[in-house]
Amino acid sequence: MGRRDGAPAGRPGADRLTAMSSEPSMALAAAADPRRNRLLASLPEADWQRWLPELEPIDLPLGMVLYESGAMLIHAHFPTTAIVSLQYVTESGASAEIAVVGHEGIVGIPLFMGGGSTPSRAVVQSAGAGFRLRGALVREAFARSPAVMRAMLRYTQALIAQMAQTAVCNRHHSVDQQLCRWLLLSLDRIEGQDLVVTQELIAHMLGVRREGVTEAALALQRAGLIRYRRGHITVIDRPGLEQRSCECYAVVKAEYDRLLVEDA
């Protein structure tokens, strides 16, 4: 039986497979406003007022499992300062990240797409906070409000684009380029330019050997793009990192920027 959403990670060592923003106090302050989430901020006033009393603030600690593979979802989660990793886990226990969700979106699209569950799992990768909403309310709003339906479908299209580009990147591009893409997507979803992250986490997310991540991180450091010390990465030349990345980051960012606009 799958774990219900919102349960803590049950696997030993789950905390090792997580990353966090290095500015927790800033994250908690930002989390107080639900409209720090871009999807919530895009809602028309009438729909926003219906949801506001029902939004429940929630801490999203490192390693928290929001839903497991095959579990029926109970809540939708709207991160404000946290990052959630969507992962596919094989029967052997190996896993790879298929997408990340931060303050731009929602964790729980099966709730309104009709499936109710998904083969992937959702795990908090960067500690922070957010809000959750009962799934029944999300389904009701999706069926009742054309504006909510449009916002959710546009976000889903953006998320599918990220998943597709991630699959292409993991198959055709070097570990160096994949690392650049992963760092840039993560930085887009936190405050600042710092990530507290282990090589084990990155290797786990990219589905590659840890040694490959070590070589790639050292290469980026030698190029003056990042400063890396054990468990901590600071991006010091973001334009350079974007230039070194493959086209995948730019494609994903452009699609999110195109689709997630309030007056779209």
Side-chain angles (χ1 to χ4, degrees), residues 32-93:
D33 181 4
R35 287 196 165 178
R36 290 298 297 267
N37 180 280
R38 288 177 61 187
L39 194 56
L40 291 177
S42 73
L43 295 177
E45 188 62 24
D47 293 302
W48 166 248
Q49 291 299 330
R50 289 189 185 95
W51 276 14
L52 182 57
E54 305 293 340
L55 287 168
E56 178 186 353
I58 181 172
D59 289 330
L60 298 172
L62 299 176
M64 181 178 184
V65 176
L66 301 188
Y67 60 78
E68 285 281 12
S69 172
M72 296 302 295
L73 275 64
I74 308 299
H75 295 92
H77 291 81
F78 299 88
T80 53
T81 60
I83 301 176
V84 177
S85 173
L86 306 184
Q87 305 170 5
Y88 190 88
V89 183
T90 67
E91 290 184 356
S92 67

Side-chain angles (χ1 to χ4, degrees), residues 209-229:
R209 297 177 61 201
R210 179 175 174 176
E211 293 80 1
V213 173
T214 300
E215 293 175 5
L218 291 174
L220 296 182
Q221 181 165 264
R222 286 193 298 267
L225 303 178
I226 67 171
R227 183 168 55 251
Y228 177 77
R229 63 182 186 273

Side-chain angles (χ1 to χ4, degrees), residues 48-231:
W48 166 248
Q49 291 299 330
R50 289 189 185 95
W51 276 14
L52 182 57
E54 305 293 340
L55 287 168
E56 178 186 353
I58 181 172
D59 289 330
L60 298 172
L62 299 176
M64 181 178 184
V65 176
L66 301 188
Y67 60 78
E68 285 281 12
S69 172
M72 296 302 295
L73 275 64
I74 308 299
H75 295 92
H77 291 81
F78 299 88
T80 53
T81 60
I83 301 176
V84 177
S85 173
L86 306 184
Q87 305 170 5
Y88 190 88
V89 183
T90 67
E91 290 184 356
S92 67
S95 64
E97 184 174 83
I98 56 177
V100 290
V101 181
H103 56 68
E104 81 291 347
I106 178 177
V107 179
I109 62 173
L111 286 166
F112 56 84
M113 294 299 289
S117 66
T118 174
S120 64
R121 71 195 299 254
V123 184
V124 177
Q125 163 186 312
S126 175
F131 292 81
R132 72 180 187 180
L133 188 66
R134 286 184 290 118
L137 296 176
V138 176
R139 288 190 293 269
E140 184 276 331
F142 186 83
R144 173 188 48 77
S145 169
V148 171
M149 177 186 290
R150 188 161 185 256
M152 295 297 183
L153 290 179
R154 291 176 74 90
Y155 173 73
T156 301
Q157 182 177 337
L159 187 66
I160 290 172
Q162 183 189 165
M163 292 177 175
Q165 206 68 37
T166 297
V168 170
C169 191
N170 290 350
R171 176 64 179 85
H172 293 288
H173 296 145
S174 68
V175 175
D176 184 302
Q177 292 172 315
Q178 292 179 52
L179 177 57
C180 291
R181 168 185 57 80
W182 189 87
L183 290 172
L184 290 166
L185 287 174
S186 296
L187 288 177
D188 283 349
R189 290 159 174 80
I190 63 170
E191 300 284 347
Q193 300 298 312
D194 298 321
L195 286 169
V196 177
V197 56
T198 65
Q199 291 179 5
E200 182 181 2
L201 167 69
I202 299 174
H204 174 77
M205 296 302 174
L206 298 182
V208 300
R209 297 177 61 201
R210 179 175 174 176
E211 293 80 1
V213 173
T214 300
E215 293 175 5
L218 291 174
L220 296 182
Q221 181 165 264
R222 286 193 298 267
L225 303 178
I226 67 171
R227 183 168 55 251
Y228 177 77
R229 63 182 186 273
R230 185 175 179 82

